[in-house]
Every structure is written in structure tokens, then in C-alpha cells.
Amino acid sequence: MLRNRLLLGPVFIAALIGLLWLDEWIDRQPCPSVLRWFDTDNTGTNPPGLVLFALGLIIVSIAARELGRIFHAGGVTASRRWMSIAAISGLLVSGALPERLSSGRSVAIVATCGALVLIGSLLWHIRAKHLKGATAAAGAAMFAFVFLGLMLGFMLAIRKEHSAWLLLSVIAITKACDTAAYFTGKSIGRHKLILWISPGKTWEGLAGGVVGGAAIAVLCVYLHQTYGTGTGVLATVPYWLGAAGGAVIALAGQAGDLLASILKRDAGIKDSGKIPGFGGVLDMIDSVLLVAPVAYWLIGLL
């Protein structure tokens, strides 16, 4: 597993950086008439996050099917098609709504979409006039709507308000925590963190992950202040505050990983998919999903 991670990890990192660079480049290009409604600041350029939005649609579509597999293994006969529809709908209403809408109208659209997902899923699962498992399946669809769609949508919300490189910093801190926790736990881990949820996690690994996340956060602050444009959240953040923010993101990432472990252990499976060394797409983004809303509000406070 470690060998596969070392081989595929750099490929995924390079692809992500390339997509973020493309997103920044497209953001500076003239906005076609079909996207003018989203040009809320009247700059005449494309709205930020177009590439990331397309990537998000692909990710949640695959992750929703993996989530459906987990629910099936746990005895919930949820439709994977409706799981995908629910996840995509959540991402659409959280990432594609223009900022010109009032907060009340935006909340109403999100709530309406959630209601439609719930009702649509119920109707789908009782179409054959069998009621058994219909409410559980509808609950699974709502779980995909929130857990995959709305929560990943916070990453798009960060991109709407900030540069792609700030978003990269958030992801880098999260994954640095995962990596540091893994190697620290393997090396010196002795005391189990929560044995009944994730037998492999240790308190030493958690501490190593938090330290690793804080260290990368300090590095990100340094890079933004040294090589950045002089604007943005991290341009004026002191190093100690960057380290504290990195520690918070690291803790949120570990909590997201534990949440995914609850789902998989409840279903009696180890991995959500079959990507060598990584499990599945859901295994790769589980920590990011919980980090996304935490990072959004943390950046707002900074």
C-alpha cells in the first residue's frame, strides 16, 4: 500500500496543482455572455472556480456511488443513481449559485433542493409498490446531499472568495496531517485513539498529524508572504496564528477520517473503492469533506 501511495501520490498532487493553475488562468479570461449572470463584480472575466466546479462534479459522482456501496453493505438498499443525483444537487446549490442572490433566496433554494431530493428519493424507492427500506434509502440520499454535496461545496465557496492557491494551502495542510499521522502512528504509536471506531489510529499519530498540519500551515504563510501578491488572507497573518489555524484544520481532517471509518465499519468493509494504495475516491476526500466548512469559517475569522 505504501509503495502505491508513493507512486501515485505525486501524480495526484501534480494533477491538482495543474488544475488549480488552469482555474486561475481561466478566471482571468474574458467572460462569455452565457456566464455573465455569474460575473457579480462586473470585471468582465470568468467567475472563479469553473475548473474546480467541473472537478467537483466528477468527484462527488464517483464518491456517491462508493457511498451507495457502503450503504448496500450495511443493509440499506439505496439507489446509487439517486445517491449521485443527491450529491450533485448538493454541490450545484452550494457551488453554482451566483453571489447576486440574497441570503434568504439562497437559503430557500438550498432548502427546496433538499426537499426535492428527499421526496424524489422516496417516490423512486416505492415505485414498485414496496415500502420496505424506502425511508432508510431516502435518508441515505439526504446523507449524500449533505455529506458529499453541501460539504464539498464549501471548497468552491472558498475559491469564490479567495485565490486557488489559498485553497491549495487548505488541502496541503489536510493531507500533510494525514501523512504525518500515518507515519507517526506507524513509528511510535502505542496508545489507541478510539479503538472501537478505528483500531489503527493512535494518540501519537493524532499528535504527529496536528504538528505536521501546523508546520505546513506556517510554510504556506511564508510562501504567500514571500512569493505572493501581497494580498489575501495569508499575506498578513502572523506565523503563530497560521500554526494555530493549521492545527484546527488538522483536527477537523482527523475527525472527518474517523467519520468515514464509522460508515465503513458499520458496513463491515475496509475501503470504499479499489484505487491502489488509496482505497477509493471517498477514502481520498473523507478528511477534506469535514475540513471544508471548518476552513471556510476559519478563513472568514482570519
Side-chain angles (χ1 to χ4, degrees), residues 140-160:
M142 289 304 298
F143 189 90
F145 177 76
V146 176
F147 184 59
L148 295 178
L150 294 186
M151 291 180 73
L152 193 63
F154 276 96
M155 284 294 186
L156 298 178
I158 293 174
R159 176 64 186 100
K160 279 184 177 181

Side-chain angles (χ1 to χ4, degrees), residues 108-123:
I109 291 174
V110 174
T112 301
C113 186
L116 290 175
V117 167
L118 177 61
I119 295 171
S121 179
L122 276 172
L123 293 176

